[in-house]
Structure formats: C-alpha cells, structure tokens
Amino acid sequence: MRGRLAALGLTIMLAAPATAAWAADPLSICLDEDHPPLSAHHRGKPDSGFDVLLAQAVADRMGRPLRIQWFESKLDEDSSPQLEANALLSDGRCSLVGGYALTTDSLVKPGLKTARLPDFAGATRDDRRRRVALGELAPSRPYVYSPMTVVLGPKARDRKISDIGDLAGLRLAIESGSLGDAILMTFDKGRLIDSITHLVPARDDLLGALDRGDYDATLIDLARYDAHRAARPDTAITASGYYYPIGANRGYVGLASDPALIEAANKALTDLAAQGKIAELGKQAGLTYLQPREPAILGDVWTKIIQR
C-alpha cells in the first residue's frame, strides 16, 4: 500500500510540471489585421474587433495566455485565404487561425504542396521569399454566422427587400468577381444584369458611392456593412434586414495533426456559447451577431447559387 502511494505521488510530481508548462504556453492565434469589426490592428490604435475579444475569452477559458499573430491578406494568383491560413499554421506562426469561413472548399486538402506566407507582423525578407510545406486543415465548431445582406442607398432606403428579385428597377453596384457579383448576375437567368454597374475591388469605393447616392443598392458581407457604419456613424446607407439564404459560418481552423487543440478550443467555445458570452462579445465589438446555422460547414456555394 505504501509503495503504491509513493508511486502515485511520483506520477503526480512528474505530471504537474508538464501540465503547468502547457498552461503557461501561450495560445497563438492568427488574425487578419484589417478585417473590422472582426479584427483590426493599426499603428497607434489599440487592437480591436470581435475575434480579438473572443480569442482572449477562449484563451482565458483554456487557462493560457494569448498571443495574437497579425497578418495581412493580399491575394494574388498564387494564394488564397485557405493557402494563407495553412502556411501560417504549417510554419508554426500560430496554432489557430480565427474568423475562418467554414466551407468544404476551404477545408479540402490543398492541391499545392507548398505556399508562400502572407505578410505578417515580424516577417523578415527571407520570410517573404520562402515557401512553406503545407499540412491539412481541421475546423473548430463555428461561432458566428456570416451572411450576405442587401444594403440600400439614401434614395432607396424605404424599399422593402425580402428577396433578390425585389432589387428590380434599382441602380445596383457590385465589385467585379465577388460572391455578390455572382449572385446578382446569375439571378433568374440574368434578369438584373442591365441594372448592374461593376466596380473594381480595392480601387473603387463601393459603399462610399452608395453613400453619395450614386447607386441604390448592393449585396455585401454583413460584417462589412457593420464596419462602414462604425467608421461613419452619419452614413446615409441602411441595412435592408434581408439576408441572402446561402451564408457561411466562421470558426477557428488548425492543423489536423493537433486534434487535442481543436478539442480544447471546441470545449471553450461550447462553454462560452452556453453562457451567452459570444453574443455579448459580438455586441461589444459592434458586430451584428448571428448564431451559427446548419450546415456547420457550407457545401459548394457556387453550385447552390447557380441552382437558385
């Protein structure tokens, strides 16, 4: 009996330092530095956003300090949100990437064996040149639903929108190549095409033009409208209250090789959601928070749009 107690005591002594070391190890989460109101990191201003607040809450729930690895997403022909996230994780820059759109396409095994890292805080010249061997991604449970919404300009603010067809007769603006572009251009065999003006992403100010009354309506991600409203409290554009029925949940993504971390993150998210904390953080960040919806992982969005 005395021997068994001694052995048990030794086991506890050996396990305790490992447990303490794991708890002291920072939970490193990669966040986009320019994606308000989800996440924002600008020189001279405090870090802000829903994903910043949630990352801290998850780290606290896991009993670990938080370290945010900021990165800048600049897409080109050799990159994508999926490849950027995978490269950051596979290079050990972080253990989780937050605000990740959970779709089947974004979670498939990458077709490339390597990818370049996006620009990230602390990156060196060599980091910007090298390629990283990619792993496989694994998602957490979703924590917020991110739909497309119709936003109305000042001349159409009283228009009731319950379906895309209700946009007929309005002057529509959309960014070329966007998801909203695909939805509007293919609606009802192209019924709205003659009413659509295409703007160039990152060059033309879509919401600014809508604010000036140059156009009557657009279809964008709901969080983008929230960001515009926060930056311009006196804005003349308004949310229609209509959400396009095909939307994606957002959650964390990590490497499939670390299932224990995904499980721990899921437990933290489950506890926070049960207490209503996640919705509270969304409100605090100025996000129009919507609960995750089924399916947890969205299927082939392009096929769904065309079929509608």
Side-chain angles (χ1 to χ4, degrees):
M1 179 67 176
R2 186 174 300 173
R4 288 202 302 270
L5 289 174
L8 178 60
L10 179 60
T11 300
I12 293 173
M13 288 174 64
L14 292 174
T19 303
W22 188 87
D25 186 28
L27 176 64
S28 181
I29 297 181
C30 283
L31 296 178
D32 190 327
E33 68 176 26
D34 191 24
H35 197 192
L38 296 174
S39 53
H41 172 72
H42 298 138
R43 183 176 298 178
K45 297 182 179 179
D47 296 339
S48 63
F50 168 68
D51 272 315
V52 175
L53 298 174
L54 181 60
Q56 186 62 66
V58 169
D60 290 345
R61 185 70 53 164
M62 293 171 64
R64 300 173 65 179
L66 172 67
R67 184 180 73 84
I68 295 178
Q69 171 65 70
W70 294 102
F71 72 94
E72 182 180 3
S73 181
K74 286 187 177 179
L75 302 185
D76 54 38
E77 68 278 1
D78 192 33
S79 189
S80 69
Q82 175 192 0
L83 293 177
E84 289 180 343
N86 199 319
L88 288 165
L89 292 165
S90 297
D91 198 48
R93 297 295 156 181
C94 52
S95 300
L96 297 170
V97 176
Y100 194 80
L102 302 180
T103 69
T104 54
D105 288 344
S106 72
L107 294 169
V108 296
K109 184 177 180 179
L112 299 175
K113 293 184 178 180
T114 65
R116 292 189 186 278
L117 289 159
D119 195 16
F120 61 88
T124 65
R125 181 180 299 178
D126 289 341
D127 287 327
R128 298 184 180 94
R129 293 175 177 173
R130 64 189 175 87
R131 299 181 69 88
V132 176
L134 301 177
E136 293 189 36
L137 300 179
S140 73
R141 59 165 285 168
Y143 54 70
V144 65
Y145 179 66
S146 184
M148 303 287 288
T149 187
V150 169
V151 177
L152 301 171
K155 296 178 183 178
R157 60 183 305 126
D158 295 326
R159 175 69 72 100
K160 303 299 181 184
I161 307 294
S162 58
D163 185 74
I164 294 295
D166 294 331
L167 296 174
L170 297 180
R171 299 169 300 157
L172 306 178
I174 200 71
E175 289 172 336
S176 297
S178 65
L179 179 58
D181 184 12
I183 293 171
L184 295 182
M185 289 292 288
T186 59
F187 176 75
D188 196 14
K189 300 180 180 179
R191 180 155 64 96
L192 300 175
I193 286 178
D194 291 340
S195 302
I196 298 172
T197 297
H198 286 93
L199 303 182
V200 179
R203 188 191 74 182
D204 297 322
D205 183 3
L206 171 61
L207 294 183
L210 195 68
D211 222 334
R212 293 191 302 269
D214 297 347
Y215 306 100
D216 296 323
T218 191
L219 181 66
I220 60 170
D221 185 270
L222 176 60
R224 187 171 170 186
Y225 167 72
D226 287 336
H228 180 86
R229 180 167 50 90
R232 304 182 188 179
D234 59 345
T235 182
I237 67 176
T238 57
S240 66
Y242 166 77
Y243 302 137
Y244 189 72
I246 300 173
N249 293 314
R250 292 184 183 273
Y252 291 115
V253 67
L255 291 177
S257 57
D258 192 0
L261 177 62
I262 300 297
E263 182 180 354
N266 282 340
K267 184 179 186 309
L269 290 171
T270 298
D271 292 344
L272 290 167
Q275 296 173 6
K277 298 292 186 181
I278 298 181
E280 289 178 12
L281 296 177
K283 183 178 180 180
Q284 184 178 337
L287 179 74
T288 302
Y289 179 80
L290 299 175
Q291 296 280 355
R293 300 183 183 181
E294 293 294 336
I297 297 174
L298 181 65
D300 185 350
V301 63
W302 298 106
T303 299
K304 292 178 181 294
I305 289 170
I306 292 172
Q307 289 176 343
R308 288 185 62 84

Coordinates of all heavy atoms in Angstrom, one line a residue, residues 8 14 33 112 125 127 130 132 136 162 167 221 228 235 242 294 306:
L8 N 2.2 6.7 -6.8 CA 1.2 7.7 -7.3 C 1.8 9.1 -7.1 O 1.6 10.0 -7.9 CB -0.1 7.5 -6.5 CG -1.2 8.5 -6.7 CD1 -1.6 8.4 -8.2 CD2 -2.4 8.2 -5.8
L14 N 5.7 14.2 -11.5 CA 6.2 14.2 -12.9 C 5.2 14.9 -13.8 O 5.6 15.6 -14.8 CB 6.5 12.8 -13.4 CG 7.7 12.1 -12.7 CD1 7.8 10.7 -13.1 CD2 9.0 12.9 -12.9
E33 N -5.2 41.6 -39.9 CA -5.1 42.9 -39.3 C -6.0 44.0 -39.8 O -6.1 45.1 -39.2 CB -3.6 43.4 -39.5 CG -3.3 43.8 -40.9 CD -1.9 44.3 -41.0 OE1 -1.0 44.0 -40.2 OE2 -1.6 45.1 -42.0
L112 N -1.7 22.2 -53.8 CA -0.3 22.5 -53.8 C 0.4 21.9 -52.6 O -0.2 21.8 -51.6 CB -0.1 24.0 -53.8 CG -0.7 24.8 -55.0 CD1 -0.5 26.3 -54.8 CD2 -0.1 24.4 -56.3
R125 N 12.8 39.5 -44.6 CA 12.9 39.5 -46.1 C 12.9 38.0 -46.6 O 12.2 37.7 -47.6 CB 14.1 40.2 -46.6 CG 14.3 40.1 -48.1 CD 15.6 40.9 -48.5 NE 15.6 42.3 -48.1 CZ 16.6 43.1 -48.3 NH1 17.7 42.7 -48.9 NH2 16.5 44.4 -47.9
D127 N 11.4 35.5 -45.0 CA 10.1 35.0 -44.8 C 9.2 35.3 -46.0 O 8.3 34.5 -46.4 CB 9.4 35.6 -43.6 CG 10.0 35.1 -42.3 OD1 10.4 33.9 -42.3 OD2 10.1 35.8 -41.3
R130 N 10.3 32.7 -49.0 CA 10.3 31.3 -49.0 C 8.9 30.7 -49.1 O 7.9 31.4 -48.9 CB 11.0 30.8 -47.7 CG 10.3 31.2 -46.4 CD 11.1 30.9 -45.2 NE 10.6 31.4 -44.0 CZ 9.7 30.7 -43.3 NH1 9.3 29.5 -43.7 NH2 9.2 31.2 -42.1
V132 N 6.3 27.4 -47.8 CA 6.2 26.5 -46.7 C 5.5 25.2 -47.1 O 4.5 25.3 -47.8 CB 5.3 27.2 -45.6 CG1 5.0 26.3 -44.4 CG2 6.0 28.5 -45.1
E136 N -2.7 19.6 -43.4 CA -4.1 19.5 -43.6 C -4.9 20.3 -42.5 O -4.5 20.2 -41.4 CB -4.6 18.1 -43.7 CG -4.1 17.3 -44.9 CD -4.7 15.9 -45.0 OE1 -5.9 15.8 -44.7 OE2 -4.0 15.0 -45.4
S162 N -37.3 41.5 -49.6 CA -37.5 40.1 -49.0 C -36.9 39.0 -49.9 O -36.9 37.9 -49.5 CB -39.0 39.9 -48.8 OG -39.7 40.0 -50.0
L167 N -34.9 43.8 -55.9 CA -34.0 44.8 -56.4 C -34.3 45.3 -57.8 O -33.6 46.2 -58.3 CB -32.6 44.2 -56.3 CG -32.0 43.8 -54.9 CD1 -30.7 43.1 -55.0 CD2 -31.9 45.1 -54.0
D221 N -21.1 41.4 -47.6 CA -21.0 40.7 -46.3 C -21.5 41.6 -45.2 O -21.2 42.8 -45.2 CB -19.5 40.3 -46.1 CG -19.4 39.4 -44.8 OD1 -19.2 40.0 -43.8 OD2 -19.5 38.2 -44.9
H228 N -18.5 49.7 -42.0 CA -18.7 51.1 -42.6 C -19.6 51.9 -41.6 O -19.3 53.1 -41.4 CB -19.5 50.9 -43.9 CG -19.8 52.1 -44.6 ND1 -18.9 52.8 -45.4 CD2 -20.9 52.9 -44.5 CE1 -19.5 53.9 -45.9 NE2 -20.7 54.0 -45.4
T235 N -23.6 57.8 -41.7 CA -23.8 57.3 -43.0 C -25.3 57.3 -43.5 O -26.2 57.2 -42.6 CB -23.3 55.8 -43.1 OG1 -23.5 55.3 -44.4 CG2 -24.1 54.9 -42.1
Y242 N -32.5 42.1 -45.0 CA -32.6 40.9 -45.8 C -31.3 40.2 -45.8 O -30.3 40.8 -46.1 CB -33.1 41.2 -47.2 CG -32.9 40.0 -48.2 CD1 -33.7 38.9 -48.2 CD2 -31.8 40.0 -49.1 CE1 -33.5 37.8 -49.0 CE2 -31.6 38.9 -49.9 CZ -32.5 37.9 -49.9 OH -32.3 36.8 -50.8
E294 N -27.0 25.6 -39.4 CA -26.7 24.4 -40.2 C -26.8 24.7 -41.7 O -27.7 25.4 -42.1 CB -27.7 23.3 -39.7 CG -27.5 22.9 -38.3 CD -26.2 22.2 -38.0 OE1 -25.6 21.7 -39.0 OE2 -25.7 22.2 -36.9
I306 N -26.0 29.0 -58.5 CA -26.5 28.8 -59.9 C -27.8 28.1 -59.9 O -28.7 28.4 -60.7 CB -25.4 28.0 -60.7 CG1 -24.1 28.9 -60.9 CG2 -26.0 27.6 -62.0 CD1 -23.0 28.1 -61.4

